[in-house]
């Protein structure tokens, strides 16, 4: 066996030889192959050295390990900190170089420019969360990741929300004050589920980053980079996690090398955990398998196949107790002032009338308006505090505080199913040329049963009725290619990256199976076959009453002995006395109607990177042009018998709309006139090394975000003839007058709609970021960080114009004048009575964020690391909003007092979910010697200033309205390595929210209380 010391000497000699060869290799392209060969041999020797040291160690039956698994270690530790350090293949430009990485420190990024580049030289703000950092902080969701991000803010309710459609973000979490909807997996858009178990790192690019990732909100990009096969021997890891709230999880990570030309990696996880609220659970099964093949010794070609399967089902609390005490007090004893404010003074029984007015869930909003009028203070907020849990009356009629109360109903859930496959081909045929092609197929399904409980004003009952069930299905195929051309010219290292992206996708929606009386479906509820529980078969029709086979004598009685109807079991749930009802029997996911949309996306981009002045100056510039095309509605009304093609609207003879159940005007995609939407994004930046380890940089980037294929009035011109015909048939000889113009023909109506702007195409949204900053890699990467000053804006975000819709003559009750009163039968067969014909939308709102953020990783010695991040965003406001009167304007001066107050709040308060200050720290120290050598101690702090929940008078942040944020939270952990019969084990204890503080990271749902988990990681 080769002696480890001899191997070390040979390895050192090769490293020196490689370093000496660098200047010559850059000057003589013929030496590049020789340098690559030296690097390969050096990597092989490093692997042999590690194996020899492992074999030379004689382990007792039980002893402390030489190093903690996955933690920072003492200088004597020999195992590399990252598995990828052991690779024997030459890295392509599309992979990150990990030579300088250690523990939490990651010095290269693949997300910012699509090729592996040094963060130090990139004129963008980038944060990278390593697998070690994710494990130590216990991160599993996007909110968890944002907890230790400099300018991020989370959303505790986002996981239960329906997934994003198009460019609509899921959740209210923000980065640098703006929403983030570019959520990626290996650079490809992800849908529905976020799996951290297979993540090697999470890279975060702050600010507009549409150059490589397309249309999106300006908050930035969050990219999950998965663990890849390693051409080398790395330990297999089995990690078991247990903890409070019945947490139970197993993760297995194994890598196998097949000779020098193939390697396979499999990461799998199983979880069956509960939560800290009643009925919460998280069941997750996922596996990611990848195979990498490098058919040639040169390493110039690499093919990677990857498959991922995720089956995740969960229930989480979505809100907490924000209901005002005054609402309950007003129901018990309404004051004369409240009765007068409601206009009920002349009522025969004004007290009873007012109690009826505010009794139902939602009545707290009505009470809030009455309270402001009665008090004479129109600025007073309705919601001034939020308390974790809920209040209600127990069996003894005593008011109690239930901290484990879950507002998401029992039986409600969100379920994500992901089936993804991809193939990546990377080639380096010449020293000056590299290329990559990636094809991804993603078949995803999202199902949910939805509902949130709300109390009645009596303080005893809750409405636990199901809200909806939903199913979303998405199938897509992505093709992406990148080409990198390198050429040194006149002392400048030039790199040109150009590429393209093509996507073909279909997204379908499947709502609840039926409307009332079959939705909710009460046939399985006690009382469904009893005349007292189902009086006159009002809730369950005779034909289906016995479907659930419920015994006729089964009924539910309230605390007073009164029999409840099957509906009241849910709509009048008494948590202090009754068993919580399960809403699953009320819903069905599938229906015959499957509503879908086909879309195509394509983009081309080009990016230039140049290094000059002895590599001190780096130039980065690029542009992206993209196009989105919708191809109409794909409505399957009864699969497989009635599944028309997406062009059925153009052939109604073959596909009669009445048979196939589609609207030709809707399916025709607005006559095709808006079927193609194109936009451009660009960026440019400079980074200059004023010293070897200090760079200053400046950059400007612009984002494009499509606002959808629609016009300002949200209608199709194919509908206009039907409107005209229906109005004329109803009006008879009465003139058809619309907005002061007499309409005598279809063309007259079209001209009028054009004149008022209803047919104007919505402009795309744009955003821009300008920033300057400093990056450091001081003292041989012991102090690595980024400090940046930024100015960002977002303009033309599409918003609904509620006022315009309410006053539109063709909408709702306003259109009775044209189409008759409700119940009118129109001779044309088109009945638009009471409908919303125009959905007015507008663009032009401009939001601005200004601030500074910083992130630094300090490694003064190998056994200690600290990560510090924070931000000060001194400006986060709307500077222009077309739907809100600007203070000082003529419309503002003419508005009612309530209208003026609403405008003052909207323009005067900060943007929602944007703290002014954030400061986070995370530190880890490993004992380098002594009896407890290898023991790691970790400690973290998280601070956020206040955050606005809503810029409405109910939550008025300018007076006493409740705001989230305003917390200081502590986290920590311990880990210790040991061995059993040669098997390395690392035991960790992690604690989040050590002081069990009630705090809100965003929204109205409290963040989890103290959570303690224990993990045992076995390596072999």
């Amino acid at each position: 066996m080769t002696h480890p010391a001899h191997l070390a000497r040979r390895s050192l000699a090769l490293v020196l030889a490689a370093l000496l060869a660098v200047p010559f290799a850059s000057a003589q392209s013929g030496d590049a192959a020789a340098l690559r060969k030296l690097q390969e041999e050096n990597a092989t020797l490093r692997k042999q050295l590690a194996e020899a040291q492992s074999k030379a160690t004689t382990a007792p039956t039980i002893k402390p390990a030489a190093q903690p698994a996955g933690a920072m270690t003492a200088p004597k530790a020999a195992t590399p900190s990252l598995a990828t350090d052991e690779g024997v293949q030459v890295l392509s430009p599309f992979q990150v170089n990990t030579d300088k990485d250690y523990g939490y420190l990651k010095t290269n990024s693949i997300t910012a420019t699509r090729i592996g580049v040094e963060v130090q030289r990139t004129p963008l703000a980038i944060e990278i969360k390593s697998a070690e950092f994710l494990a130590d902080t216990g991160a599993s969701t996007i909110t968890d990741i944002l907890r230790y991000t400099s300018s991020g803010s989370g959303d505790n309710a986002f996981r239960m929300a329906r997934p994003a459609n198009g460019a609509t973000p899921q959740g209210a979490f923000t980065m640098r004050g703006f929403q983030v909807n570019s959520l990626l997996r290996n650079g490809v858009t992800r849908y529905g589920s976020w799996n951290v178990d297979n993540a090697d790192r999470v890279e975060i690019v702050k600010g507009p980053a549409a150059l490589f990732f397309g249309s999106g909100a300006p908050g930035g990009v969050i990219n999950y980079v998965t663990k890849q096969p390693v051409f080398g021997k790395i330990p297999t890891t089995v990690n078991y996690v247990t903890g409070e709230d019945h947490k139970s999880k197993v993760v297995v990570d194994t890598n196998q090398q097949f000779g020098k030309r193939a390697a396979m990696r499999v990461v799998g996880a199983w979880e069956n955990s509960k939560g800290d609220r009643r009925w919460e659970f998280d069941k997750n099964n996922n596996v990611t398998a990848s195979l990498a093949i490098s058919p040639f010794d040169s390493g110039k070609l690499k093919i990677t196949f990857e498959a991922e399967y995720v089956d995740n089902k969960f229930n989480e609390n979505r809100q907490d107790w924000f209901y005002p005490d005054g609402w309950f007090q007003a129901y018990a004893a309404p004051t004369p002032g409240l009765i007068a404010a409601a206009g009920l003074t002349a009522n025969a029984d004004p007290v009873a009338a007012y109690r009826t007015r505010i009794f139902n869930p939602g009545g707290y909003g009505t009470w809030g308006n009455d309270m402001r009028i009665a008090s004479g203070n129109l600025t007073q907020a309705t919601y001034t505090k939020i308390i974790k849990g809920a209040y209600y009356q127990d069996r003894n009629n005593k008011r109690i505080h239930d901290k484990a109360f879950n507002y998401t109903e029992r039986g409600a859930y969100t379920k994500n199913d992901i089936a993804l496959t991809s193939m990546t081909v990377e080639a380096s045929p010449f020293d000056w040329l590299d290329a990559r092609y990636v094809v991804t197929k993603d078949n995803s399904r999202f199902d949910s049963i939805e509902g949130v409980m709300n109390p009645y004003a009596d303080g005893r009952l809750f409405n636990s009725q199901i809200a909806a069930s939903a199913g979303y299905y998405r199938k897509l195929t992505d093709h992406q290619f990148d080409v990198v051309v390198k050429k040194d010219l006149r002392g400048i290292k030039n790199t040109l990256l150009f590429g393209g992206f093509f996507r073909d996708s279909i997204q379908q929606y499947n709502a609840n199976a039926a409307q009332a009386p079959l939705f909710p479906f009460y046939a399985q509820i006690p009382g469904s076959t009893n005349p007292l529980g189902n009086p006159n078969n009002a809730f369950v029709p005779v034909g289906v009453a016995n479907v659930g086979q419920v015994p006729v004598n089964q009924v539910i009685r309230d605390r007073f002995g009164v029999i409840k109807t099957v509906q009241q079991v849910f709509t009048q749930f008494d948590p202090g006395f009754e068993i919580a009802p399960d809403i699953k029997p009320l819903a069905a996911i599938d229906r015959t109607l499957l509503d879908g949309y086909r879309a195509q996306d394509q983009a081309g981009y080009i990016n230039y990177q140049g290094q000059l002045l002895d590599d001190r100056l780096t130039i980065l510039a690029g542009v992206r042009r993209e196009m989105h095309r919708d191809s109409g509605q794909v409505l399957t009304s009864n699969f497989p018998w009635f599944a028309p093609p997406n062009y059925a609207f153009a052939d109604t003879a073959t596909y009669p709309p009445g048979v196939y159940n589609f609207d030709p005007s809707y399916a025709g995609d607005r006559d095709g006139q808006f079927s193609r939407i194109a936009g451009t994004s660009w960026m440019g930046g400079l980074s200059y090394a004023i010293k070897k380890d200090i760079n200053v940089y400046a950059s400007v980037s612009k984002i494009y975000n499509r606002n959808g294929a629609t016009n300002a009035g949200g209608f199709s011109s194919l509908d206009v003839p039907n409107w005209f015909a229906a109005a004329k048939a109803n009006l008879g000889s009465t003139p058809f007058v619309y907005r002061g113009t007499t309409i005598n023909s279809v063309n007259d109506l079209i001209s009028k709609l054009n004149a008022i702007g209803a047919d104007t195409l919505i402009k795309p949204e744009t955003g821009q970021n300008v920033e300057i900053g400093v990056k450091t890699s001081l003292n041989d990467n012991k102090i690595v960080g980024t400090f940046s000053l930024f100015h960002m804006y977002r303009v033309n975000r599409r918003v609904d114009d509620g006022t315009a819709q309410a006053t539109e003559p063709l909408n709702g009750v306003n259109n009775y004048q044209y189409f008759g009163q409700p119940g009118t039968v129109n001779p044309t067969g088109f009945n638009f009575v009471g409908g919303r014909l125009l959905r007015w939308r507008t663009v032009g709102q401009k939001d601005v964020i200004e601030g500074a953020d910083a992130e630094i990783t300090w490694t003064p010695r190998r056994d200690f690391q600290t990560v510090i991040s924070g931000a000060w965003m001194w400006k986060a406001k709307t500077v222009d909003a077309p739907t809100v009167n600007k203070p000082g304007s003529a419309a503002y001066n003419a508005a009612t007092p309530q209208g003026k107050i609403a405008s003052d709040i909207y323009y005067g308060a900060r943007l929602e979910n944007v703290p002014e200050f954030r400061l986070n720290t995370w530190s880890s120290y490993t004992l380098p010697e002594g009896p407890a050598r290898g023991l790691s101690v970790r400690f973290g702090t998280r601070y956020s200033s206040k955050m606005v929940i809503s810029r409405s008078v109910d939550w008025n942040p300018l007076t006493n309205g409740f705001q989230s944020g305003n917390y200081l939270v502590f986290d920590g952990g311990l880990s210790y390595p040991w061995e059993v019969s040669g098997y390395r084990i690392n035991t960790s204890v992690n604690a989040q929210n050590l002081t069990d503080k009630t705090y809100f990271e965003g929204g109205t749902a409290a963040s989890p209380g103290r959570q303690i988990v224990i993990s045992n990681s076995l390596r072999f």
Side-chain angles (χ1 to χ4, degrees), residues 348-429:
D349 188 348
V351 171
Y354 191 79
R355 296 181 73 188
T356 300
R357 172 182 171 85
I358 66 170
F359 173 71
N360 288 324
Y364 44 81
T366 303
W367 168 84
N369 290 329
D370 295 342
M371 173 268 299
R372 282 186 282 273
I373 295 173
S375 67
N377 182 3
L378 299 181
T379 68
Q380 189 171 347
T382 305
Y383 316 121
T384 59
K385 62 182 178 180
I386 300 183
I387 300 171
K388 184 176 181 179
Y391 289 93
Y392 53 82
Q393 296 175 12
D394 65 9
R395 284 178 172 268
N396 300 315
N397 299 318
K398 180 181 178 181
R399 187 170 175 82
I400 63 171
H401 180 200
D402 181 1
K403 292 185 178 180
F405 192 87
N406 186 355
Y407 287 84
T408 302
E409 285 108 328
R410 181 178 189 174
Y413 66 80
T414 289
K415 190 175 189 298
N416 290 295
D417 290 311
I418 308 291
L420 179 145
T421 58
S422 69
M423 180 185 72
T424 303
V425 180
E426 297 175 0
S428 301

Side-chain angles (χ1 to χ4, degrees), residues 575-895:
F577 179 82
E578 299 168 1
I579 296 173
D582 190 325
I583 67 171
K584 285 197 299 294
L586 305 187
I589 297 296
D590 294 325
R591 61 173 182 171
T592 59
L593 199 64
L594 191 61
D595 196 2
Y597 303 88
R598 291 188 182 275
Q600 292 178 329
D601 294 271
Q602 59 186 17
Y605 47 84
I606 186 169
N607 179 268
Y608 170 76
Q609 299 177 45
Q611 292 181 327
L612 60 158
L613 302 181
D614 295 328
D615 292 346
R616 297 182 68 178
L617 177 63
T618 300
I619 302 172
L620 184 66
V623 63
R624 174 190 178 100
R625 180 70 175 174
E626 63 182 284
M627 187 270 286
H628 174 85
R629 178 179 181 180
D630 291 311
S631 56
Q633 181 189 33
V634 183
L635 185 64
T636 301
S637 59
N638 206 329
F639 184 83
W641 301 280
F642 293 90
N646 57 312
Y647 57 82
F649 68 91
D651 186 5
T652 55
T654 304
Y655 305 101
V659 174
Y660 286 88
N661 197 26
F662 70 91
D663 180 350
S665 66
Y666 191 68
D669 187 36
R670 315 292 189 219
D671 312 325
Q673 59 181 326
F674 306 140
S675 61
R676 293 178 178 84
I677 307 172
T680 302
S681 304
W682 54 263
M683 71 87 59
L686 301 172
S687 176
Y688 181 72
I690 57 176
K691 293 179 62 177
K692 177 184 176 182
D693 44 15
I694 300 178
N695 283 58
V696 294
Y697 76 92
S699 66
V700 58
S701 51
K702 180 256 184 182
I703 198 172
Y704 152 81
N705 192 6
R706 62 183 178 85
N707 267 323
T710 188
N711 51 24
F715 73 99
S716 169
S717 60
L718 293 178
D719 283 326
V720 177
N722 301 328
W723 298 351
F724 178 78
K728 291 297 293 181
N730 178 69
L731 292 170
S733 60
T734 303
F736 181 3
V737 179
Y738 175 60
R739 292 180 180 255
T741 300
T742 300
I743 306 299
N744 297 310
S745 66
V746 173
N747 287 336
D748 286 349
L749 185 53
I750 292 175
S751 297
K752 184 63 177 179
L753 292 170
N754 270 311
I756 63 176
D759 206 25
T760 302
L761 180 64
I762 290 289
K763 295 179 181 179
E765 177 185 337
T766 62
Q768 184 168 295
N769 176 57
V770 178
E771 70 178 90
I772 59 174
V774 179
K775 297 190 177 186
T776 68
S777 56
L778 296 165
N779 299 335
D780 193 22
N781 285 324
K782 290 183 178 179
I783 304 177
V784 177
T786 300
F787 171 80
S788 57
L789 297 167
F790 56 88
H791 172 90
M792 301 174 61
Y793 70 80
R794 179 183 191 180
V795 67
N796 282 348
R797 178 166 58 93
R798 186 183 74 183
V799 295
D800 281 304
D801 191 336
T803 301
Q805 289 177 185
T807 58
E808 169 55 50
L810 291 174
N811 284 352
V813 296
N814 300 329
N815 72 22
Y816 293 175
Q817 59 181 310
Y818 302 126
F819 306 116
Q821 293 300 311
T824 301
V825 178
N826 197 285
T828 64
F830 296 100
N831 191 357
F832 303 108
V833 176
R836 184 187 66 189
L837 275 60
L838 294 182
R839 182 178 179 179
W840 281 100
R841 291 165 169 145
T842 187
V843 297
Q845 178 163 320
K846 185 175 182 179
D847 300 330
V848 177
I849 305 282
E850 287 182 355
D853 61 11
E855 188 240 358
I856 186 169
T857 301
W858 181 40
T859 313
R861 46 191 291 178
R862 296 286 286 181
D863 48 34
F864 178 79
Q865 272 191 317
T866 290
V867 180
I868 304 172
S869 62
W872 176 24
M873 291 176 282
W874 52 80
K875 185 175 185 179
K877 64 183 299 184
T878 295
V879 297
D880 194 12
T883 62
V884 181
N885 297 326
K886 197 167 188 176
S889 67
Y892 173 87
N893 294 331

Side-chain angles (χ1 to χ4, degrees), residues 523-598:
Q524 300 181 47
I525 308 306
S528 62
T529 57
N530 188 301
L532 297 177
N534 184 24
N536 301 316
N537 293 100
F539 303 108
V540 185
V542 176
V544 296
N546 202 36
V547 169
Q549 298 181 339
V550 177
V552 69
N553 293 323
Q554 281 192 357
V555 291
I556 303 295
R557 298 178 183 271
D558 65 16
R559 67 171 64 204
F560 307 109
V562 178
I563 294 175
K564 306 180 78 169
T565 67
V566 291
Q567 184 185 63
Q568 290 172 341
V569 170
F570 297 89
T571 59
Q572 296 184 19
F573 164 54
D574 185 346
F577 179 82
E578 299 168 1
I579 296 173
D582 190 325
I583 67 171
K584 285 197 299 294
L586 305 187
I589 297 296
D590 294 325
R591 61 173 182 171
T592 59
L593 199 64
L594 191 61
D595 196 2
Y597 303 88
R598 291 188 182 275

Side-chain angles (χ1 to χ4, degrees), residues 28-71:
Q28 301 177 22
S29 60
D31 288 343
L35 176 59
R36 183 180 289 113
K37 185 176 181 180
L38 285 171
Q39 292 171 331
E40 290 177 356
E41 188 173 359
N42 178 38
T44 302
L45 286 172
R46 287 167 53 204
K47 181 171 74 73
Q48 293 174 350
L49 175 60
E51 292 176 351
Q53 288 176 323
S54 177
K55 293 178 180 179
T57 302
T58 303
T61 303
I62 298 179
K63 71 169 188 177
Q67 67 170 53

